[in-house]
Amino acid sequence: MTEKRHLKERLDQISRPQLMNVLAWIVAIAVCILIGAFWLYLTNFGPAKLSTDPAVWGQFGDFVGGAANPVIGLLTLIALVLTIVLQSKQLDLSTQELSETKAELRRSTEAQELAARLNALTALFVEYRRLSEDKEAEFTRVLSAPTTLGANVQLIEAVKRERDGLLIRKQQIFDELEKLSGLVRQAAQQSIQPDEPASGGSAG
């Protein structure tokens, strides 16, 4: 198990260009082996001219196959393993890119939703500020208006309660607006800056 784990770790450390170079070398070695087998046969057993006897061609095929097939089979197995590793790396890369795209899309959607809420809350705050200013002006007019004492006191109290309620609600909206603005700024920074890789562990 330990040897398999070490082998897997070493294969994972090989980059894609390195894998392509190894595969190219395997193909080149296989071609050289075939050429070498042809050359050995022609040098030692080859006739002066091409034979028309099928038995001679059968002997030639047996020699080339027996000399080259074991090595080419081993090289083919190595190439197959490297190809699987290369495909696995490509799959991991595609999965990682898909995850990053989904995360970026999620952050963008959240930022858009926060921005929409911020705009709506800003418009609501502006409206409540206008209403509170109007109510404050009405309260000032009521205070200065000449009328009977009892009616004037009741009107002043009613307008004052409305004004205070608007001021309280305006302050609540302002607090929510400040909090939401912070969330929007944080979401915008996260959408611009890439996620930092997590640290390997704390120091002992």
Side-chain angles (χ1 to χ4, degrees):
M1 294 297 294
T2 303
E3 294 179 356
K4 290 182 179 180
R5 185 173 67 252
H6 289 336
L7 178 60
K8 184 178 184 302
E9 291 176 354
R10 293 183 62 181
L11 290 175
D12 290 338
Q13 293 175 356
I14 301 177
S15 63
R16 187 174 185 275
Q18 290 176 335
L19 287 175
M20 297 301 296
N21 289 335
V22 172
L23 291 175
W25 274 106
I26 289 176
V27 173
I29 292 173
V31 172
C32 291
I33 290 174
L34 286 176
I35 294 175
F38 280 112
W39 180 80
L40 285 175
Y41 182 84
L42 294 176
T43 300
N44 294 280
F45 311 107
K49 62 179 181 178
L50 293 177
S51 175
T52 57
D53 187 0
V56 175
W57 284 102
Q59 294 173 359
F60 171 74
D62 292 339
F63 176 83
V64 173
N69 280 346
V71 181
I72 292 179
L74 177 61
L75 294 176
T76 302
L77 179 61
I78 296 174
L80 178 61
V81 172
L82 293 178
T83 302
I84 293 174
V85 172
L86 179 60
Q87 292 177 349
S88 177
K89 284 181 174 292
Q90 291 176 341
L91 180 60
D92 292 340
L93 182 60
S94 299
T95 303
Q96 181 181 359
E97 291 178 351
L98 180 60
S99 299
E100 292 176 353
T101 302
K102 291 174 63 178
E104 180 64 26
L105 181 60
R106 184 180 65 252
R107 288 195 295 265
S108 177
T109 302
E110 292 175 353
Q112 291 177 359
E113 292 177 353
L114 288 175
R117 289 175 55 192
L118 180 62
N119 292 334
L121 201 58
T122 301
L124 186 62
F125 175 77
V126 171
E127 179 65 17
Y128 267 88
R129 184 175 61 183
R130 183 187 64 80
L131 292 175
S132 62
E133 290 174 353
D134 293 344
K135 190 59 64 174
E136 183 68 29
E138 181 182 355
F139 181 70
T140 303
R141 288 195 304 270
V142 169
L143 286 178
S144 60
T147 183
T148 59
L149 182 59
N152 193 26
V153 171
Q154 292 178 358
L155 182 59
I156 290 174
E157 289 296 330
V159 175
K160 184 175 182 297
R161 284 194 301 270
E162 293 178 2
R163 183 201 63 177
D164 293 343
L166 288 172
L167 290 175
I168 293 174
R169 181 54 182 159
K170 186 184 73 171
Q171 184 61 40
Q172 292 174 348
I173 295 175
F174 180 78
D175 294 339
E176 294 177 7
L177 193 60
E178 286 291 319
K179 181 179 179 181
L180 191 58
S181 298
L183 293 176
V184 170
R185 287 192 296 269
Q186 182 179 359
Q189 291 176 356
Q190 290 179 353
S191 63
I192 295 175
Q193 298 177 355
D195 296 335
E196 296 182 357
S199 58
S202 59

